[in-house]
Amino acid sequence: MPWTRYHTGGCWTRSCAMLMGVSGRLYKERLKQEGMGTHEKALKFLNQDYEALKQECLENGTLFEDPQFPAVPTSIGFKELAPHSSKTRGIVWKRPQEIAADPQFILAGASRTDVCQGGLGDCWLLAAIASLTLNEKVLHRVVPHGQSFQEEYTGIFHFQFWQFGEWVDVVIDDRLPTKDGELVFVHSAENNEFWSGLLEKAYAKLNGSYEALSGGSTTEGFEDFTGGVAEMYDLRNAPRDLYTIIRKALERGSLLGCSIDITSAFDMEAVTFKKLVKGHAYSVTGVKEVDYRSRMERLIRIRNPWGQVEWTGAWSDNSSEWNYIDEEEREGMVQMEDGEFWMAFPEFLRQFSRLEVCNLTPDTLQDDLMKKWNMAVFNGSWRRGSTAGGCRNHPATFWINPQFKIKLEEEDDDPDDNELACSFLCALMQKDRRRYRRHGQDMHTIGFAIYEVPDEYHGCQNIHLKKDFFLTHSSCARSETFINLREVSNRIKLPPGEYVIVPSTFDPSKEADFVLRVFTEKNADTEELDDPISADLEDEEEITEDDVEESFKAMFRQLAGEDMEISVFELRTILNRVLSKHRDLKTDGFSLDSCRGMVNLLDKDGSGRLGVVEFQIMWNKIRKWLGIFRQYDLDKSGTMSSYEMRLALESAGFKINNRIHQVIVGRYSENDVLDFDNFISCLVKLEAMFRSFKALELEDGTVDLNLAEWLSLTMSG
């Protein structure tokens, strides 16, 4: 019989229904340890293996048809692009050789003009793809080499994307949506080039549909193509050295995008007098200083993914300014009507609202020398009733959010700055929200707050700061705003010390998974703060029948009958009769499962029944736990908030971490509320599992069980 090792940090309080999720998490952690999820060992999205599928098609002489993202209307959209909608009527899925006579994957190298927008509002993505073409090395991380319509063609292609800390390999077939023989969505200026349209399809598959890509921030595409970290600059308050920052970023291969803010829905994609489009994502593709009328003029090059609508002001394709530039210098700078144009840099600052920069390897753009950041990545989740506490406006629940500690010890090396400070970049990203759009959901409004750790908690690991701390301490830094973007990031400077980062949604009870990335200029310790899993169990009562009061014995005899033992069914009757007299407690009554757990906790001989001594011990526990329940029923509603449940459990002697709390809330609460019987059932289960573990625990904090013992233990609860 094989043996299985379980640790104290494991799944003792999870119900059996949670075991598959636990094993899945352990499997993922094992894959990470083996290097899976890196770009060299990308995870296979939906378990589809490109090489194996291609080989199967070669052997069978068939063209690949993707069952995971089929050529059907639901792959296109769900609302404006829903099946049978006016925008999707007449769409036919075709392979490239049905569209063009001589289809090519990439024709004469990938370039910015290969990326023209179709009938989908994903200009943000196209701006990112266009910027991607400026760096061939980065491009081919996303678009792997060796794909074509000529050699070993089987209708299958693949692309790689960064997703929340991991690289994934996405397989697609080459059937693309067309209308009247032309591609509906992204296409190249050359009608027989298809890499950009196939890339868009792979990204649509990753997010659930084409329509899921409508609307977004260019930084989202930047990060998914690079795994880098994005920053945003408000051009109304641009730093003085922004031109230098942009130049350095482009030299390093960073991806840049810009846009003009809209003030109302009527502004969306409205074209200004000089042909700039509001609410539209542009790529920044170059900067250059030119000799103009005996002075140096700073220019910036912008690309519109639409490929046609271009700036018509100074330095546009047909403007007179070019007549004053040396012909040799002008050569190659101006290409007519390709969607790309130049502007004077001061004009750029006036016309555009924001600039987005994605640093490929998180470099500090302000420094002359390239410096690698130190990076820490944390995966977490907000769950209703347990870890979704909302922002600081909700003091009763804010403390329940996940907490992460950062220890800053080394100050920045900046000779021009006399401030004793440590710089770091904090980036909070919510996961997979585009996939929920077809269900009427979208991005949550997210942000974070940072608090200095008080001296008494310095060096402490296993602690989750409670409500009283946040009621009496102000934040020392925070995200500039709570916003409904996929990621919120800010550069922050703080004195050396220990700090707690609290990421949250704006409103409580909003559920999502997230990844928190912390980039520090110098070495810094980072870790998740959480309570240790422990139990302060009282020694089991050593009482005999002689210690039981006569009045209690008389009551027991009346309830138990001639056999002088109480069964699970009799226990339920007794407890529910007692509960009915406590009108201040809201309860549906104890279930058979709850009572079975109580019997199993104290049934020493395996009879499935309780004698008078065992019943007395159980009765004493319930009375003690009733006092705790009333103490934490702060509003005297007869129920307990799931947020206060964690404090109540701690009062009863049980410390649990976020993950265990989520499981308990999911199992024992309803709409974030616990009634008395579920509270008691939870405590009974916790005590039973802790006592079982302690009885079997080895010196290294683990237990060894074979399968039969594991089943016997878990099935008895």
Side-chain angles (χ1 to χ4, degrees):
M1 180 73 71
W3 291 72
T4 308
R5 173 155 285 200
Y6 296 91
H7 293 259
T8 50
C11 55
W12 286 100
T13 61
R14 292 171 173 81
S15 65
C16 290
M18 307 295 288
L19 290 177
M20 290 303 291
V22 176
S23 61
R25 260 197 309 271
L26 292 174
Y27 178 67
K28 280 189 173 181
E29 289 171 8
R30 193 169 300 149
L31 287 178
K32 271 193 173 179
Q33 292 170 2
E34 295 171 358
M36 297 301 293
T38 61
H39 186 263
E40 292 74 22
K41 294 183 179 179
L43 297 171
K44 295 173 178 59
F45 185 62
L46 301 179
N47 294 318
Q48 289 180 297
D49 187 316
Y50 169 74
E51 295 294 346
L53 290 169
K54 182 174 182 178
Q55 189 58 37
E56 184 180 327
C57 290
L58 286 170
E59 291 174 0
N60 296 335
T62 56
L63 294 180
F64 179 62
E65 294 187 1
D66 186 4
Q68 300 284 13
F69 197 62
V72 296
T74 52
S75 295
I76 294 176
F78 46 86
K79 192 176 179 182
E80 290 186 11
L81 298 179
H84 312 300
S85 65
S86 60
K87 291 185 179 181
T88 60
R89 202 169 295 134
I91 283 182
V92 178
W93 296 78
K94 290 186 178 182
R95 296 189 188 270
Q97 55 267 70
E98 300 174 273
I99 302 169
D102 180 28
Q104 300 290 319
F105 185 65
I106 294 180
L107 191 64
S111 69
R112 304 180 301 279
T113 58
D114 298 347
V115 190
C116 299
Q117 189 171 3
L120 186 62
D122 60 349
C123 56
W124 61 274
L125 174 63
L126 276 60
I129 298 174
S131 295
L132 192 64
T133 64
L134 300 177
N135 188 317
E136 189 173 353
K137 182 180 178 182
V138 176
L139 172 70
H140 287 294
R141 293 179 68 175
V142 179
V143 186
H145 280 292
Q147 304 190 82
S148 79
F149 292 98
Q150 285 74 41
E151 297 179 17
E152 295 188 334
Y153 168 72
T154 56
I156 187 171
F157 293 86
H158 70 132
F159 300 86
Q160 295 194 348
F161 305 102
W162 181 88
Q163 286 286 279
F164 317 115
E166 298 174 330
W167 282 89
V168 294
D169 190 85
V170 181
V171 170
I172 57 165
D173 64 39
D174 63 354
R175 294 175 293 177
L176 295 169
T178 68
K179 187 178 283 190
D180 300 325
E182 296 184 351
L183 292 176
V184 174
F185 301 127
V186 169
H187 55 280
S188 171
E190 304 290 337
N191 67 358
N192 65 332
E193 184 176 45
F194 291 94
W195 73 268
S196 58
L198 293 170
L199 171 61
E200 182 192 40
K201 179 177 181 178
Y203 200 63
K205 176 179 177 178
L206 186 67
N207 287 281
S209 69
Y210 277 95
E211 189 172 1
L213 305 182
S214 184
S217 167
T218 305
T219 54
E220 191 174 336
F222 284 167
E223 291 184 330
D224 286 351
F225 294 152
T226 66
V229 60
E231 298 181 274
M232 192 174 293
Y233 292 91
D234 179 357
L235 299 182
R236 299 288 179 269
N237 299 293
R240 286 176 298 176
D241 58 344
L242 183 61
Y243 188 84
T244 303
I245 289 173
I246 294 172
R247 177 178 55 78
K248 286 182 179 180
L250 288 167
E251 287 171 356
R252 294 170 185 163
S254 299
L255 308 183
L256 292 84
C258 58
S259 60
I260 304 171
D261 286 348
I262 60 173
T263 54
S264 71
F266 297 105
D267 274 352
M268 193 61 192
E269 296 199 340
V271 180
T272 68
F273 174 67
K274 293 187 178 179
K275 296 295 180 70
L276 293 178
V277 186
K278 294 185 177 181
H280 190 59
Y282 290 81
S283 310
V284 176
T285 61
V287 290
K288 190 175 179 67
E289 291 189 66
V290 296
D291 187 349
Y292 173 68
R293 289 184 168 181
S294 301
R295 64 179 175 81
M296 299 307 294
E297 179 82 53
R298 287 179 165 181
L299 302 180
I300 184 167
R301 188 174 64 198
I302 314 292
R303 172 164 170 75
N304 180 355
W306 282 354
Q308 297 298 325
V309 181
E310 292 187 18
W311 162 251
T312 59
W315 297 101
S316 60
D317 289 355
N318 293 306
S319 70
S320 60
E321 285 80 6
W322 293 108
N323 298 329
Y324 299 93
I325 301 299
D326 182 84
E327 187 174 342
E328 187 175 322
E329 189 170 27
R330 188 171 70 234
E331 185 69 28
M333 288 186 69
V334 182
Q335 303 291 330
M336 305 299 286
E337 298 303 322
D338 60 350
E340 196 164 57
F341 53 88
W342 292 90
M343 300 177 74
F345 189 69
E347 186 72 29
F348 166 75
L349 295 179
R350 284 192 292 270
Q351 295 291 340
F352 284 87
S353 308
R354 62 187 63 251
L355 173 75
E356 298 165 281
V357 181
C358 182
N359 309 296
L360 299 188
T361 52
D363 303 320
T364 171
L365 293 181
Q366 286 88 338
D367 293 346
D368 288 332
L369 298 174
M370 291 176 63
K371 294 182 179 180
K372 298 291 189 297
W373 294 77
N374 297 286
M375 182 175 73
V377 180
F378 300 101
N379 288 283
S381 59
W382 297 297
R383 291 291 179 267
R384 180 185 176 93
S386 58
T387 55
C391 71
R392 296 169 302 149
N393 296 346
H394 306 276
T397 56
F398 176 69
W399 66 275
I400 208 74
N401 285 299
Q403 301 172 14
F404 303 90
K405 187 173 80 170
I406 178 171
K407 186 177 182 181
L408 303 172
E409 296 181 298
E410 300 181 58
E411 304 91 38
D412 298 344
D413 295 326
D414 190 345
D416 299 324
D417 191 348
N418 295 323
E419 184 183 5
L420 185 66
C422 308
S423 294
F424 64 100
L425 177 66
C426 190
L428 173 65
M429 180 185 293
Q430 51 188 318
K431 294 183 178 181
D432 296 320
R433 297 307 302 170
R434 288 187 179 276
R435 288 188 156 269
Y436 294 99
R437 283 187 170 180
R438 64 170 64 245
H439 305 298
Q441 301 180 42
D442 210 326
M443 302 289 182
H444 291 313
T445 301
I446 61 171
F448 56 84
I450 301 177
Y451 294 81
E452 187 172 7
V453 175
D455 291 342
E456 61 267 30
Y457 291 135
H458 275 203
C460 296
Q461 294 178 330
N462 296 323
I463 187 167
H464 186 97
L465 297 174
K466 302 299 191 292
K467 180 167 63 175
D468 288 347
F469 170 83
F470 296 105
L471 289 175
T472 55
H473 292 78
S474 299
S475 62
C476 56
R478 58 183 184 272
S479 53
E480 287 184 6
T481 182
F482 273 73
I483 193 167
N484 60 340
L485 292 177
R486 187 177 73 161
E487 184 175 61
V488 174
S489 66
N490 282 103
R491 285 179 184 258
I492 295 167
K493 274 189 174 184
L494 290 172
E498 293 187 14
Y499 300 89
V500 172
I501 304 170
V502 185
S504 73
T505 56
F506 186 76
D507 295 314
S509 302
K510 299 293 185 183
E511 294 196 327
D513 296 320
F514 67 83
V515 58
L516 177 71
R517 296 187 290 169
V518 180
F519 302 91
T520 56
E521 286 201 359
K522 295 295 189 71
N523 287 323
D525 292 331
T526 52
E527 62 185 323
E528 182 172 3
L529 286 181
D530 212 345
D531 289 324
I533 301 175
S534 65
D536 182 14
L537 298 175
E538 297 177 352
D539 293 335
E540 292 183 311
E541 291 185 74
E542 297 288 340
I543 64 173
T544 65
E545 194 168 332
D546 294 336
D547 299 319
V548 181
E549 294 180 2
E550 283 301 322
S551 59
F552 191 87
K553 287 181 183 177
M555 178 191 73
F556 182 81
R557 278 193 294 270
Q558 182 181 355
L559 298 170
E562 294 181 2
D563 61 358
M564 287 299 289
E565 287 190 322
I566 290 179
S567 69
V568 170
F569 297 93
E570 290 168 330
L571 179 61
R572 183 176 68 167
T573 301
I574 295 166
L575 292 179
N576 287 339
R577 190 180 300 167
V578 172
L579 271 184
S580 66
K581 297 177 181 178
H582 290 270
R583 300 188 182 277
D584 61 323
L585 300 177
K586 285 190 177 177
T587 174
D588 295 329
F590 286 95
S591 67
L592 279 177
D593 279 345
S594 300
C595 295
R596 191 171 287 113
M598 296 181 202
V599 170
N600 288 335
L601 176 62
L602 296 169
D603 177 23
K604 304 302 181 186
D605 58 9
S607 66
R609 293 169 173 268
L610 297 181
V612 64
V613 172
E614 295 163 332
F615 184 65
Q616 173 75 76
I617 295 171
M618 186 73 252
W619 190 256
N620 292 344
K621 288 181 185 294
I622 291 176
R623 285 196 303 177
K624 172 189 169 184
W625 292 337
L626 173 60
I628 293 173
F629 184 87
R630 283 182 166 146
Q631 177 186 348
Y632 286 93
D633 176 15
L634 299 178
D635 60 358
K636 306 305 176 189
S637 64
T639 61
M640 182 187 298
S641 159
S642 59
Y643 292 104
E644 303 296 345
M645 170 75 164
R646 188 163 176 170
L647 296 176
L649 293 181
E650 192 168 323
S651 177
F654 300 100
K655 278 195 173 182
I656 56 174
N657 63 17
N658 285 339
R659 187 176 291 178
I660 302 300
H661 189 215
Q662 285 179 21
V663 175
I664 286 174
V665 169
R667 180 170 178 177
Y668 293 101
S669 75
E670 186 172 351
N671 295 325
D672 302 343
V673 169
L674 288 90
D675 55 17
F676 180 68
D677 58 287
N678 275 320
F679 178 69
I680 297 299
S681 299
C682 175
L683 287 168
V684 167
K685 184 69 172 178
L686 276 173
E687 181 168 336
M689 299 310 287
F690 269 107
R691 289 197 184 280
S692 297
F693 190 93
K694 292 294 182 185
L696 299 167
E697 187 176 14
L698 303 176
E699 290 184 2
D700 63 352
T702 67
V703 298
D704 283 330
L705 298 173
N706 63 29
L707 182 59
E709 290 167 333
W710 166 249
L711 289 173
S712 175
L713 184 64
T714 56
M715 294 302 290
S716 64

